Amino acid sequence: MDAEARGLTDGDLETVTGIGGFFALRTAPPAPGAYVPLARVYAGDHAPLTARVTRVGERLRAPEYRVAASVAQLGLAARLWSVTLGPAALYGVFPDVTPGRLYWDPARSAPDDLWWDGRATRPGTPEELRDAVQYGHLAPLADALRAAGPVSARLLWGNAGSALAGAVRELTRWAHRTGRPEAAARGAGLAAALLDHPDLSGTLQGPALRRRTCCLYYRCPGGGLCGDCVFDHPPHRSAPTR
């Protein structure tokens, strides 16, 4: 069976989940309630997204909207890249996470925040991954966040690049632990092709894929720098932007 015709079994998805929590994709229907299709959020129902940003801001005591929005978006970007890149690297296909079939609960964190209402798959090529994740989710997500408050588009694309690099690192560690070096190689190759795009190109630098922007987590009380941060030391905190 070729990659385009191949489906993903429950066992395949369980193997992908073993890479780490961010790679898990819930398929069993949850109890009716909080899960909403991401297509609805992108179409203008921003209440779930606002609730998520507010929840993140309260938990981190973020001093301004852009900080909470950045951290919230970074987490969701990491989930979206992980649940697609992992299967693509392992099996040559990934779940067709069309926004209308991918449901999100803004009150939950990984691995319980996403529910996939489908079985269809897409070929695990850079073009298909870009269409599904970058165009299908990350671009409209950035638009929704920027419609709700001030946050830099460059920062959000920097988060997207960082999230992709983080998924590759986690996949690579798992692949080496489990004797699957070919999966690590495929994941790295897919990521390199995905990063060769005007929105993502230049968001990371060097072989360590260190980012060129900052997610602003350091601005939260007790917050520090991420492992791939552009800064070596937290910069001086200026007064919050009003």
Side-chain angles (χ1 to χ4, degrees):
M1 183 180 294
D2 62 33
E4 292 193 23
R6 188 190 192 285
L8 287 168
T9 68
D10 289 340
D12 295 336
L13 292 173
E14 185 176 348
T15 297
V16 174
T17 296
I19 300 172
F22 274 74
F23 290 77
L25 187 58
R26 181 182 186 137
T27 57
Y35 285 86
V36 297
L38 280 163
R40 199 167 89 191
V41 176
Y42 305 152
D45 181 3
H46 294 166
L49 185 60
T50 300
R52 178 62 174 174
V53 172
T54 299
R55 185 181 182 88
V56 169
E58 290 174 348
R59 188 180 76 244
L60 299 179
R61 293 181 293 154
E64 50 191 321
Y65 170 82
R66 64 181 182 135
V67 179
S70 171
V71 175
Q73 183 256 4
L74 179 57
L76 187 51
R79 292 287 280 126
L80 292 164
W81 283 129
S82 297
V83 300
T84 53
L85 183 73
L90 282 169
Y91 302 113
V93 295
F94 65 92
D96 183 6
V97 289
T98 302
R101 306 304 298 270
L102 188 63
Y103 289 70
W104 181 51
D105 184 346
R108 295 175 180 265
S109 57
D112 295 320
D113 56 334
L114 293 180
W115 164 47
W116 179 44
D117 179 22
R119 283 290 176 181
T121 59
R122 298 176 67 164
T125 66
E127 295 77 16
E128 291 286 336
L129 284 162
R130 188 184 312 285
D131 184 66
V133 179
Q134 183 178 339
Y135 298 153
H137 288 279
L138 297 179
L141 175 62
D143 289 343
L145 287 167
R146 298 187 74 216
V151 58
S152 163
R154 182 169 176 266
L155 182 156
L156 295 177
W157 284 119
N159 284 353
S162 175
L164 176 56
V168 172
R169 291 188 190 98
E170 193 69 17
L171 171 63
T172 299
R173 284 192 288 265
W174 173 87
H176 289 162
R177 286 197 310 269
T178 57
R180 299 290 298 270
E182 74 287 351
R186 282 197 296 268
L190 288 168
L194 289 164
L195 289 167
D196 186 21
H197 181 276
D199 289 333
L200 295 172
S201 177
T203 59
L204 306 172
Q205 57 185 330
L209 298 180
R210 186 172 181 177
R211 55 184 299 168
R212 293 179 180 271
T213 58
C214 176
C215 71
L216 304 178
Y217 173 62
Y218 79 91
R219 293 184 62 83
C220 300
L225 300 180
C226 302
D228 64 347
C229 187
V230 65
F231 297 122
D232 293 317
H233 306 285
H236 174 73
R237 291 185 177 89
S238 57
T241 301
R242 298 295 182 183

